[in-house]
Amino acid sequence: MTNFKVGHGYDIHRLESGVKLILGGVELDFDRGLAGHSDGDVLTHALIDALLGAVGRGDIGQLFPPTDKSIKGISSLKMLERTREILEEEQFAIANIDCTIIGERPKLSPHYQAMKEKLADVLKINTPDINIKAKTKEKLGPVGDGQAMEAHAVALVFKIKR
């Protein structure tokens, strides 16, 4: 078995009025938010999938099925915390994370540091080990039309030798 593993995660959610916009655990001031079974945080959901994928533990839907009414509206940071516990159980640590959020608005760069701090706190890693960036779809497709946001995440983990 190799000591290093990589995982990739992806998520997309519709933007809807009357819903808070949460990205990376940070609430942003915006006229719409991401609809979902939880808080719709596409960044954190993509990150959870990347981490679970890296250790071969499936995906967010298997760990937190949308049919589970007890987790309706749950904070994605709580789901990320459980994901970190799974990595610890499997004796893996996070080397680094790279994330891309895709959407037309709002401007996200002013919020990168707050997102990194929230995610790093939950994952118990150093903030510089997380990179976050944003792109637009150049007005193409549903994301480009402002109907949705999506995110990709890549995580590198390594086996802890005990």
Side-chain angles (χ1 to χ4, degrees):
M1 178 177 75
T2 180
N3 287 332
F4 288 92
K5 305 270 186 184
V6 67
H8 174 264
Y10 168 81
D11 198 30
I12 185 169
H13 284 275
R14 282 185 327 275
L15 283 162
E16 292 186 359
S17 296
V19 178
K20 293 179 182 179
L21 178 59
I22 311 287
L23 290 171
V26 175
E27 185 176 336
L28 281 67
D29 186 27
F30 193 56
D31 63 341
R32 291 169 292 145
L34 295 162
H37 186 67
S38 65
D39 59 11
D41 183 343
V42 292
L43 173 58
T44 304
H45 293 182
L47 178 52
I48 290 168
D49 270 354
L51 292 168
L52 291 173
V55 297
R57 291 291 297 265
D59 63 29
I60 192 171
Q62 292 170 297
L63 190 59
F64 299 99
T67 55
D68 184 349
K69 294 185 185 341
S70 72
I71 59 171
K72 178 74 175 147
I74 189 174
S75 165
S76 295
L77 294 180
K78 293 284 186 196
M79 297 190 294
L80 184 62
E81 182 176 17
R82 176 63 189 126
T83 303
R84 187 202 74 239
E85 291 168 354
I86 290 169
L87 265 68
E88 290 170 352
E89 290 164 11
E90 298 285 336
Q91 297 184 335
F92 278 93
I94 298 167
N96 76 303
I97 293 164
D98 185 39
C99 304
T100 305
I101 306 165
I102 306 154
E104 297 300 308
R105 296 179 36 242
K107 182 136 181 87
L108 299 177
S109 58
H111 308 284
Y112 291 164
Q113 189 61 32
M115 291 179 205
K116 288 169 62 170
E117 288 171 5
K118 286 265 189 189
L119 297 172
D121 184 55
V122 172
L123 293 171
K124 298 183 181 177
I125 62 174
N126 296 319
T127 305
D129 293 332
I130 301 175
N131 186 59
I132 298 174
K133 56 198 174 297
K135 302 290 179 192
T136 70
K137 282 276 190 161
E138 300 294 327
K139 304 198 184 291
L140 298 171
V143 174
D145 287 342
Q147 298 173 45
M149 290 182 98
E150 60 188 345
H152 291 265
V154 177
L156 179 64
V157 301
F158 60 95
K159 191 76 168 175
I160 302 167
K161 294 182 181 179
R162 294 191 180 192

